[in-house]
Each structure stands twice: as structure tokens, then as C-alpha cells.
Amino acid sequence: MHRSQEDTAAAPEVGEQTTTFGPLQLSPGTTRANISGYYWLALTSIMTFTFIPAAQTALLTSILGVPKGEQGSIVGTAGLISEIVLIAAVGLAGAWSDRLGRRPIVVGGYILLGLGVGMAPFVGSVLPYYLARGVAAVGVAMVTVMLTAVVADYVQDTTRGRANGILGFCNGLGALVTFFVLIKLPDIFEGMGMDTIAALRATYLIVGGLALLTAILMRLTLRGGLATTHSEHIPIPRLLREGVAEIRRPGVSFAYLSAFVARADLALVGAYLTLWAQQYGTQHLGLSEAEALAKAGLLLGVANGIALIGAPAIGIIADRLSRTDAVLISLGTAALGYTATIFVEDPFSPLGYAVAALIGLGQVSAVISSQVLIAEQAPSRTRGSVIGTFALSGGIGIMIAFAAGGTLYDNWRPAGPFVLFGILAGLACLYGLAVRSRIPNHPVG
């Protein structure tokens, strides 16, 4: 059978010394430049992912003129459309990456992400804004699947928990850059004499340009060729079917369910916590839109600062405990943080900051531990397809968060979306306890 150049490179020679990157043991054929490029991918992707929902409240108000009483529904609809697109794309992204390699998917995803972000502030109404979000969503889908698949390819299983912990650290650092730098740019530009619309457009163009520059860097640093040592050319429909069929494994089904809860953080924290904080700032504290956005950034900075600290810790826990137990602990923390929002009236109160910190710890723990679990439980031959389905499950979770969250936010209370997913996290934790004894504590071949 024919073997690709990448397959040959991946086969270790007898006595070959394992390449290390700090505490990580790299897989054969992976260089330090490859893993360094991957962590830049982790850093910049979360910067873009969190910027899109965090900045949209200012865009809706200043550029599109959406009344504040309707913004919860608009945010929910935009997120819902994005997630429908994402759900349609993630399975194909994972399957195509098994056929074409990871690098083309990452590069293509970043190009679409940059174009979608760059388009957003130049639309004249809500419908074109939805289109821009849809373009960006395809890019988000492609990059999200690869964030999990590439680290699974590049790092040996013995240190995969730590690798995902570093991933979480990069994610937390990227989110901090978003909340302490990127979303403050409109306020800075206004201070330099720009009007509100020009300041927002300049900020969006900077973020979109960063995504396009990262696409070039990923082409230069990520490993080329196919990701696995298998030479069989499996049809795409079969890859997709196999990704869904793996749900019969308790470990995979628990990971899929965990992703459903964990990935909703993009909606809950990035969209609704930002919307809650910014509206409270303008309506109760008398702040301008740019000032409220900057103050909201401080609240989200607390959540992501705690995530930054907690990410390496949960990675170490995932390597030392069973990956299943790490997910159970994470889901329990997330459930506690989300449901505690029901007691918060002022998001900028000490209680508000404390709950934001707990949410940050719960969400990063659930994301990292579920990624480590799926990397362990996914068969190597169809890893891209299984991880694509894993991302699909997360996309469904985000879609429900947006669909139900907007209604709960506008018609009940700002804490509504968080309380809903606190309950779902608790239910997922109960399922994990029920199947715990049937989940193998070793990589699945």
C-alpha cells in the first residue's frame, strides 16, 4: 500500500529519542516549531472567537441602531444562525482533515474568520450582519475542530492532559488580551478623535487582519501531510457515519455530552455576560457605550484570568486522575458557577465578580477535560471524524444556548441562560457517574 511522506515521517526509528517541548512528549514527526505554531493558533483563535460576541453589543447599538430591549433576541438569533452554520461545517471539517491533512483546514478557517470579522462593521442592517456572522462561523468551525485534533496528533497520550492545560492557558491569555486590549480599542480610538463608528470599524479591521496574518503563519509552521499512519482512503460519508457511530462507546458519549455543555461558554460568557454587564453599565451607571464595553471587559477579564490560572491545573489533574473523573469534577464546578448567577443582581458587585471567577474556572475545566477525554477515547483512524462530531455536539450546545438564552434573557432575567446550563451541566455530571465504571482509562486504538 502507498504511504504518504507524512506517514513515513511519523514512523519512529528503533531507538529514536522522543522530542520534548517543556513538559510535553511530542509524537514522532512533530517538531518544536510545529507545536509552537499550534499554541499560537490556540492564543489567536480564542482572541477572535471571544471578540466577535464581546464587541457585538456596541456594534448593534452604534452601527445598526438596535434598541436595547431587542438586543437579547438579536444576539440570540445571530448566535443561532452562526451555530447552524457551524453545525453544518464541523463534521465535514473533521472528515476532510482526515483526507487532506490538518493544515489546509486551519489555514482556510482563518481566512474565512478574518473575512467575516472584517465585513461585520460595514453592514447597514441586521440581515447582512447575520451573513457576516455566518461567514465567520464557518471559519470558527474549521479552527475549533482542528484545535482538538492537532493537539491529539502532536502530543503523546502520557502528556496530553498537560498539553491541553497549556492550550487552556493560551486560551485564557488570548481572552485576557481581548477583554483588556481589543475591546478597549474603540474607547482609545475615540480618545484620539475618531467618532464612534470609525473607532469600531478600525477595531474590527485590526482583529480581522490578525486572523489573516495568522493564516499565513499557520501555513509556515504547522505540519503538512496527513495526520495518521493509515493509507486507506475512506469516503467522507463513511467518516461522518463513523464519527456518529462511536457514540455507542460510553467514553465517547460522555465526551460528546460534556462538549454540549462546555462549549456553550462561547454563548454564555462571550455574549450574555458581556451583554448583561454592558447594559447594566449604560442603564444603571450612566456610562457611554465605549466606557461600558471597557468596564464589561474587566468583569470578563476576571473570569478568564481565573481560567488562565486554572487551565494548567486541570491539565495536570487530567493526567494524574482518570480523564473521566477530571470531566466529572469540571462539570460539577461549571454547574455550581452557572446556577449561582441567579443570586446576582449587580454584575459589578463583589458577588458578581466572585461568580464570574467560578464560571471561568468551571468553563475552562470542562472544555479542557472533555478535550482530553475525547482524544483518549477516539480511535486513531477516524480521530478527525470523532473530534468533528465532538465539536458538532458542542455546536448544538451553543445553538441551544443562543436559541433559549435570548428568550430567557429578555423575558425572565439576565441570569436565565446561565441557570439553564447550570442545570444541564448537573444532568451531564449525573450521566457521567452512571457510566463511569464502563469507560476505559486508556487510549482506544
Side-chain angles (χ1 to χ4, degrees):
M1 276 191 214
H2 174 70
R3 291 169 63 87
S4 70
Q5 182 179 359
E6 179 67 26
D7 295 337
T8 303
E13 300 293 335
V14 176
E16 181 181 4
Q17 192 172 27
T18 299
T19 301
T20 60
F21 182 81
L24 308 182
Q25 294 182 341
L26 304 185
S27 61
T30 301
T31 67
R32 293 184 180 94
N34 297 150
I35 195 70
S36 297
Y38 169 76
Y39 283 124
W40 177 255
L41 162 68
L43 177 70
T44 56
S45 63
I46 203 66
M47 287 167 59
T48 313
F49 294 175
T50 53
F51 174 82
I52 292 171
Q56 73 177 333
T57 305
L59 185 149
L60 292 176
T61 301
S62 300
I63 295 180
L64 300 183
V66 177
K68 291 189 181 296
E70 300 175 11
Q71 288 182 2
S73 297
I74 297 295
V75 166
T77 302
L80 180 60
I81 291 171
S82 296
E83 291 314 307
I84 291 172
V85 173
L86 188 146
I87 286 169
V90 288
L92 288 173
W96 275 109
S97 76
D98 284 341
R99 289 285 297 272
L100 301 177
R102 313 300 192 208
R103 188 170 67 186
I105 305 301
V106 172
V107 172
Y110 260 110
I111 290 172
L112 291 173
L113 194 53
L115 292 176
V117 171
M119 289 167 54
F122 295 96
V123 300
S125 63
V126 172
L127 287 179
Y129 173 65
Y130 290 157
L131 175 62
R133 286 292 301 272
V135 172
V138 178
V140 170
M142 296 167 74
V143 174
T144 297
V145 175
M146 294 303 96
L147 278 170
T148 307
V150 171
V151 73
D153 295 335
Y154 282 12
V155 180
Q156 295 186 26
D157 184 71
T158 53
T159 58
R160 201 167 277 156
R162 272 161 274 185
N164 278 275
I166 297 173
L167 167 63
F169 180 85
C170 291
N171 284 174
L173 184 60
L176 287 179
V177 172
T178 298
F179 298 125
F180 286 120
V181 179
L182 296 183
I183 66 172
K184 289 189 176 183
L185 289 179
D187 195 28
I188 293 172
F189 290 149
E190 285 187 32
M192 296 168 58
M194 286 187 181
D195 62 43
T196 300
I197 293 177
L200 277 172
R201 285 175 172 168
T203 301
Y204 270 83
L205 289 176
I206 288 171
V207 176
L210 175 64
L212 295 176
L213 287 174
T214 299
I216 297 172
L217 185 61
M218 292 302 98
R219 177 63 181 82
L220 298 175
T221 59
L222 293 186
R223 201 171 75 189
L226 299 179
T228 69
T229 58
H230 298 278
S231 57
E232 180 184 1
H233 291 293
I234 304 171
I236 295 297
R238 177 179 163 191
L239 285 171
L240 291 172
R241 288 195 302 272
E242 289 182 352
V244 174
E246 292 299 328
I247 200 170
R248 69 184 186 278
R249 299 176 186 264
V252 172
S253 63
F254 184 41
Y256 286 173
L257 185 58
S258 301
F260 173 86
V261 174
R263 296 308 301 173
D265 70 284
L266 289 175
L268 298 174
V269 177
Y272 290 113
L273 188 57
T274 305
L275 181 63
W276 185 2
Q278 190 167 1
Q279 287 190 347
Y280 192 91
T282 56
Q283 294 175 355
H284 296 278
L285 303 181
L287 302 177
S288 70
E289 291 294 337
E291 290 170 339
L293 182 59
K295 190 171 180 63
L298 292 175
L299 182 65
L300 274 70
V302 168
N304 285 280
I306 295 299
L308 184 71
I309 297 170
I314 192 64
I316 293 171
I317 289 172
D319 279 340
R320 293 189 176 178
L321 297 179
S322 75
R323 274 72 192 268
T324 304
D325 288 344
V327 175
L328 288 170
I329 293 170
S330 301
L331 287 174
T333 305
L336 181 62
Y338 289 149
T339 53
T341 58
I342 199 168
F343 302 109
V344 177
E345 296 293 335
D346 176 2
F348 299 117
S349 66
L351 178 61
Y353 281 107
V355 170
L358 189 58
I359 288 173
L361 180 61
Q363 67 168 353
V364 74
S365 299
V367 169
I368 290 173
S369 59
S370 61
Q371 287 178 170
V372 177
L373 179 63
I374 196 62
E376 177 186 71
Q377 299 294 316
S380 58
R381 184 176 60 85
T382 55
R383 179 175 287 149
S385 299
V386 171
I387 290 175
T389 308
F390 172 83
L392 174 64
S393 179
I396 294 172
I398 298 174
M399 183 178 71
I400 291 175
F402 277 122
T407 300
L408 289 171
Y409 186 98
D410 283 340
N411 297 301
W412 182 37
R413 58 195 302 166
F418 299 93
V419 174
L420 170 64
F421 271 82
I423 295 170
L424 293 176
L427 293 175
C429 194
L430 291 175
Y431 173 78
L433 288 170
V435 300
R436 178 176 177 272
S437 63
R438 296 192 286 126
I439 299 176
N441 294 324
H442 55 77
V444 175

